[in-house]
Amino acid sequence: MADELVHYAVQRGIATITLDSPHNRNALSAQLRRELRDHLTAAIADDAVRVVVLAHTGTVFCAGMDLKEAGGASTEQQGVNEFPAILEQLWTSPKPVVAKLAGPARAGGVGMVAACDIAVASETATFAFSEVRIGVVPAVISVTVLPRLLPRAAHELFLTGETFDAERAVRIGLINASVPADGLDAEVDRYTKMLALGAPNALAATKEMLREPRTGDMEQDFTDMLELSAKHFAGEEGQEGIAAFVQKRKPSWVPQDN
Ligand SMILES: CC(C)(COP(=O)([O-])OP(=O)([O-])OC[C@H]1O[C@@H](n2cnc3c(N)ncnc32)[C@H](O)[C@@H]1OP(=O)([O-])[O-])[C@@H](O)C(=O)NCCC(=O)NCCSC(=O)C[C@@](C)(O)CC(=O)[O-]
């Protein structure tokens, strides 16, 4: 059996999914995509998992689609058709997903970063939508990237394929924070601890709310949101959270050591 290219570990409610194919810079080969999908499915289904961290070994987070496998194959054969399922899992996961980048991301790799809720990178990480430079199009990833980027930035970065640094990635809203390499673990821990303070159903509903476009009819939007709000105030979590606040204690979903 081939060695695993993606590892999965759950500790104290945090599922860490680690891309481990450094020889090809964690490129999205068929095997890596299959394993990544399976681990995301497991994390999403496991009630004990509160937050997912997408991490990597080696110097590069992800170099995008595997170009050696893809070379000369049709879209169908190379499995690009399967990649949207991974982006969708990241985007719609009811648990918050944090991307942890100690190094660069390219093309499809940046699409995954954009699909995560939070992204933290070492300040030496770089990014590029390099697709046009190899004659392909950032089409699939545009679904997760465009809602994160201003149209100006998207036009410039998609069309030039230029490499940009972590500071610029923060400025344009592609990632949340860029930190010195030796501070990466601590910054990701800080985010996962904050995310574990949120109630699981409330987080899932908030993610869904952030994804759903409003109708554009303000009255209708307020009616819909009032309904959502009322449901959560009256729900088990809402009642527990409010009681915990009044009684000056931690709500039941907060880990004891948080
Ligand atoms: C990532 C850096 C900056 C690291 O830069 P580096 O650390 O200097 O590494 P390197 O460039 O020396 O590469 C090291 C090894 O990794 C391999 N490698 C590296 N990348 C890939 C890859 N993608 N697929 C397969 N193999 C790859 C590369 O071929 C080499 O293998 P070796 O020569 O030792 O046998 C650099 O390697 C690089 O620029 N890679 C190419 C990135 C790229 O152009 N990606 C485009 C992917 S297309 C895509 O994702 C399409 C999609 C999904 O967006 C379409 C859509 O949205 O519709």
Side-chain angles (χ1 to χ4, degrees), residues 33-154:
R33 291 194 306 268
R34 210 166 37 247
E35 292 180 22
L36 178 53
R37 265 191 84 168
D38 288 350
H39 292 317
L40 282 167
T41 302
I44 289 167
D46 185 349
D47 285 343
V49 171
R50 302 280 305 282
V51 180
V52 181
V53 175
L54 183 60
H56 66 101
T57 63
T59 54
V60 172
F61 175 76
C62 174
M65 206 48 70
D66 189 314
L67 298 175
K68 289 176 183 161
E69 270 188 5
S74 70
T75 305
E76 198 74 47
Q77 285 166 320
Q78 56 162 284
V80 168
N81 278 347
E82 174 199 69
F83 184 47
I86 291 170
L87 295 178
E88 197 178 346
Q89 280 180 306
L90 294 168
W91 189 252
T92 64
S93 153
K95 293 113 196 259
V97 187
V98 180
K100 177 180 181 179
L101 293 89
R106 295 287 182 271
V110 193
M112 293 204 294
V113 171
C116 294
D117 297 289
I118 303 282
V120 181
S122 153
E123 59 195 7
T124 56
T126 59
F127 302 82
F129 300 104
S130 46
E131 286 88 343
V132 292
R133 294 193 181 190
I134 57 160
V136 301
V137 176
V140 170
I141 66 160
S142 69
V143 178
T144 63
V145 173
L146 292 183
R148 295 274 190 263
L149 292 191
L150 297 172
R152 275 281 147 236

Side-chain angles (χ1 to χ4, degrees), residues 166-251:
E167 192 195 316
R168 185 166 182 202
V170 173
R171 224 169 41 241
I172 62 178
L174 179 66
I175 67 172
N176 301 81
S178 104
V179 294
D182 62 4
L184 186 61
D185 287 346
E187 186 65 354
V188 169
D189 284 352
R190 195 176 71 80
Y191 273 110
T192 55
K193 281 199 170 110
M194 280 196 289
L195 292 166
L197 294 175
N201 293 332
L203 286 175
T206 301
K207 279 196 64 169
E208 198 176 330
M209 183 194 81
L210 286 165
R211 279 195 310 271
E212 290 298 320
R214 300 280 87 88
T215 65
D217 172 345
M218 207 177 225
E219 205 179 320
Q220 183 61 51
D221 288 343
F222 276 131
T223 305
D224 292 347
M225 290 304 113
L226 191 60
E227 211 172 282
L228 180 69
S229 180
K231 184 175 138 203
H232 285 272
F233 262 96
E236 210 174 294
E237 276 183 353
Q239 292 297 300
E240 162 63 7
I242 294 163
F245 174 78
V246 172
Q247 295 160 14
K248 301 187 190 301
R249 61 171 174 81
K250 284 183 186 178

